[in-house]
């Protein structure tokens, strides 16, 4: 129920803000607005206010503002001056761009408010560097703090992820400046192939995790190879086939390389050492066969508590931080979309209503600040994508009105009709892809 409620609130807020932007500017440009609708289809609730019918409709996946327009129906002579099609191209452009601009302002306002209130964050410290990963091969170790990506200063784990995405896709090595206690700062380089594919697992593929873990078992999966071998909760991993185990990630690598092979694992239990024999089960990961035991590590609670910080800013600094974050995310959204078009980023990153609903519900569970941050991100994405020059979207209409401004005459109805059809086909294809991705993410295979 929380997921459904969060989804309805998210869409309701975003659609209302977007359409109200169109409505507010249209009224001030002297255009008569006939209908303000949240949702499509059959009206569930209607009321009249001035010239405008306000309504809530059956399908809550969007909304619209219908303005007086001679291209849709005959207009009484007394209302011709208030018809949208009779307005100057600059007024038309202002009405069209007002919807995305309203979403952009909402995102900036939310980021400003959150920064002024204070944001819980994680220090950009590698709690665990996976053995054999690109980060480990570049020389990173547990406890290293990433202070810069290229020339960008890093203050939190979120900023690290954003900076890596911003740099990803380049053919140049990725430069990181890291700080190690007792050693100081130094630069390392990651090969470009390590950050070429952009997805939410980017940091994991680099071998970086913010969560520090101990070599102690917190959970043994029932029915697993580990349970059959006699592992227990609180066992501490000491050695693998006689070789000392320096970290949990090194232990994972050894287990992964031993699929189907018996291994002698030394553990410390109640102050004494004992040797267990276990055969990791075969498992397929990204087309590779790896070994699995069924053990979950213990989080280093003291280290994890040290990772948590709270970022607080004064009103003016909070505004600057909010605008910077909005600009960065908007730019990355456009870059990601462009990379998808030229096959440099996977199409499975396109999300639909199911993903939005799930993440809205999860963010609502995490607290109001997390939910508002998510709401700002979706509002920002809606603003950017709506401004793409695709017929049916606001950006397509903006393109038509720009052409009218430059040529002095409206785009021919036939051209606009063809554009609308092509835009609708593209939009339906994107919706189908988004739903397909949703299905793959959340429906068990």
């Amino acid at each position: 129920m929380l997921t459904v409620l969060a989804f309805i609130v998210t869409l309701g807020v975003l659609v209302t803000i977007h359409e109200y932007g169109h409505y507010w500017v249209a009224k001030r440009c002297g255009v008569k607005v006939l209908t303000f609708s949240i949702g499509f289809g059959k009206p569930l609730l209607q009321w009249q206010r001035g010239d405008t019918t306000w309504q809530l409709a059956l399908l809550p996946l969007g909304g619209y503002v219908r303005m007086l327009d001679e291209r849709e129906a005959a207009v009484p002579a007394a209302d011709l001056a208030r018809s949208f099609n009779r307005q100057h191209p600059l007024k038309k452009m202002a009405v069209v761009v007002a919807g995305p601009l309203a979403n952009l302002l909402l995102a900036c306002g939310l980021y400003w408010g959150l920064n002024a209130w204070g944001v819980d964050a994680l220090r950009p410290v590698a709690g665990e560097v996976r053995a054999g990963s690109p980060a480990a091969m570049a020389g990173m170790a547990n406890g290293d703090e990433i202070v810069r990506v290229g020339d960008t200063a890093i203050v939190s784990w979120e900023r690290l992820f954003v900076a890596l995405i911003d740099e990803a896709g380049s053919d140049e090595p990725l430069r990181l400046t890291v700080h190690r206690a007792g050693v100081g700062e130094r630069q390392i380089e990651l090969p470009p192939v390590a950050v070429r594919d952009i997805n939410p697992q980017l940091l994991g593929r680099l071998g970086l995790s913010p969560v520090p873990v101990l070599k102690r078992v917190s959970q043994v999966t029932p029915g697993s190879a580990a349970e059959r071998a006699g592992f227990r909760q609180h066992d501490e991993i000491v050695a693998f086939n006689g070789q000392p185990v320096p970290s949990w990630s090194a232990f994972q690598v050894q287990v992964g390389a031993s699929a189907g092979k018996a291994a002698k694992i030394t553990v410390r239990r109640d102050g004494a050492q004992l040797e267990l024999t276990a055969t990791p089960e075969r498992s397929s990961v990204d087309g590779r066969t790896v070994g699995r035991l069924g053990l979950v590590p213990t989080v280093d609670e003291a280290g994890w508590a040290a990772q948590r910080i709270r970022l607080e800013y004064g009103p003016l600094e909070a505004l600057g931080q909010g605008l910077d974050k909005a600009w960065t995310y908007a730019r990355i959204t456009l870059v990601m979309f462009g990379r998808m078009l030229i096959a440099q980023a996977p199409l499975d990153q396109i999300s639909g209503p199911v993903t939005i609903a799930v993440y809205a519900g999860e963010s609502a569970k995490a607290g109001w600040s997390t939910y508002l941050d998510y709401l700002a991100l979706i509002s920002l994405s809606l603003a950017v994508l709506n401004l793409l020059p695709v017929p049916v979207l606001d950006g397509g209409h903006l393109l038509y009105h720009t052409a009218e401004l430059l040529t002095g005459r409206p785009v021919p109805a036939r051209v606009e009709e063809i554009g609308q059809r092509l835009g609708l086909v593209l939009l339906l294809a994107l919706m189908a892809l988004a739903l397909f991705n949703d299905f793959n993410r959340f429906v068990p295979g």
Side-chain angles (χ1 to χ4, degrees), residues 41 148 183 438:
R148 281 188 298 278
V183 177
D438 285 353

Side-chain angles (χ1 to χ4, degrees), residues 295-316:
L295 296 173
V296 179
T298 299
V299 174
D300 179 358
E301 295 295 343
W304 184 234
Q307 293 277 71
R308 299 175 184 174
I309 56 175
R310 187 169 180 83
L311 303 175
E312 296 181 349
Y313 306 95
L316 289 179

Side-chain angles (χ1 to χ4, degrees), residues 206-399:
L206 293 177
L208 298 174
S209 169
V211 185
V213 295
L214 304 172
K215 295 187 295 177
R216 188 180 305 131
V217 176
S218 69
Q219 182 179 334
V220 181
T221 304
S224 65
E227 186 184 56
R228 293 193 295 272
F231 280 90
R232 295 181 188 174
Q233 188 181 30
H234 306 308
D235 283 351
E236 182 181 354
I237 309 300
V238 176
F240 188 93
N241 284 335
Q243 299 296 317
V245 174
S247 66
W248 186 270
S249 67
F251 176 59
Q252 285 181 307
V253 171
Q254 292 167 317
V255 170
S258 304
K261 302 175 185 177
K264 296 186 181 299
I265 303 172
T266 305
V267 301
R268 184 177 288 110
R269 181 184 297 169
D270 298 328
Q273 289 192 7
L274 64 153
E275 191 175 85
L276 303 174
T277 300
T279 303
E281 298 173 334
R282 297 179 182 275
S283 179
S284 179
V285 177
D286 296 330
R288 299 179 297 109
T289 299
V290 298
R292 286 190 184 278
L293 280 179
L295 296 173
V296 179
T298 299
V299 174
D300 179 358
E301 295 295 343
W304 184 234
Q307 293 277 71
R308 299 175 184 174
I309 56 175
R310 187 169 180 83
L311 303 175
E312 296 181 349
Y313 306 95
L316 289 179
E317 190 180 6
L319 176 59
Q321 290 287 336
L323 293 175
D324 178 69
K325 184 172 182 177
W327 163 246
T328 300
Y329 274 64
R331 179 167 48 79
I332 288 176
T333 300
L334 281 174
V335 169
M336 284 288 291
F337 192 81
R339 287 174 179 169
M340 287 180 190
L341 291 179
I342 60 176
Q344 282 191 355
L347 293 176
D348 61 7
Q349 296 309 298
I350 296 176
S351 300
V354 177
T355 298
I356 294 174
V358 170
Y359 287 151
E362 291 300 318
S363 61
K365 291 177 186 175
W368 67 268
S369 60
T370 302
Y371 174 73
L372 291 180
D373 188 76
Y374 173 77
L375 183 65
L377 178 61
I378 297 299
S379 186
L380 190 63
S381 299
L382 183 63
V384 172
L385 294 177
N386 253 289
L387 286 174
L388 293 176
V390 177
V392 180
L393 299 179
D394 291 328
H397 293 290
L398 186 62
L399 190 64

